[in-house]
Structures are given as C-alpha cells and as structure tokens.
Amino acid sequence: MNKSELVVAVSEKTGIQKKDVEKVIAAFVDVTVDTLKNRDKLQLVGFGTFETRHRGEKMGRNPRTGESQKIAAVDVPAFKPGKAFKDAVK
C-alpha cells in the first residue's frame, strides 16, 4: 500500500474527505520526523513506538578490495511494534 492508497482507505473508513486525510497524514509524518530529530520517542499505545537508536562506529570491509575501513557512528530511526499490533498480525 502506498500513500495515495492509504489516503483512500482512511477516507473510506472514516468518511473524511481525501484532501483532509492527506493533510492529517502529512502532519503525522512531519511530527514523527521532528520528534525523532529531537531524539524523543513517539509512543502509540497498542500500535508501537518510533524512536532513534544509536549505531556505534565499527570496522567494515570493502568486499571488492578486501580493505578494512571505518564505518562512522550514526543515529537511525527505528520502530518497535506494540503487543496488540503483533498479536493482530499473527
């Protein structure tokens, strides 16, 4: 399912016009990105938690040359599904 299909599905399920649903989805994405930029968590009880995780610096290997190289530390977005969500998908 892509974004436009999501907009149609939410619009049909709620009876809200598609243009309004698009605004809500865009706002949700913006708030989620801003929250993770600030290294905060976004927790939706029953659905899951969006958070930022730190991946430390490590040594890697270039598969073409076999040369070792450092891979820099980075913060990455992560999603941990909630129990109700996991149970529903089973």
Side-chain angles (χ1 to χ4, degrees), residues 37 42 47-48 61 66-67 75 80 82 90:
K37 275 185 187 177
L42 174 63
F47 182 70
R61 189 176 64 80
E67 180 182 334
D75 291 326
K80 181 180 176 188
K90 279 187 182 179

Side-chain angles (χ1 to χ4, degrees), residues 14-88:
T14 62
I16 299 172
Q17 292 182 352
K18 287 187 227 178
K19 65 179 182 173
D20 294 333
V21 172
E22 286 177 8
K23 289 178 186 176
V24 170
I25 291 172
F28 174 76
V29 170
D30 289 344
V31 168
T32 302
V33 169
D34 290 343
T35 300
L36 295 182
K37 275 185 187 177
N38 294 328
R39 300 197 186 345
D40 292 330
K41 288 183 182 180
L42 174 63
Q43 205 168 15
L44 302 171
V45 176
F47 182 70
T49 303
F50 296 91
E51 62 187 350
T52 304
R53 293 186 185 151
H54 182 77
R55 232 187 254 167
E57 186 178 272
K58 61 184 179 179
M59 291 301 290
R61 189 176 64 80
N62 182 334
R64 189 175 300 177
T65 64
E67 180 182 334
S68 292
Q69 59 190 30
K70 264 188 195 174
I71 299 173
V74 66
D75 291 326
V76 295
F79 176 74
K80 181 180 176 188
K83 183 179 180 342
F85 183 43
K86 284 195 265 187
D87 291 345

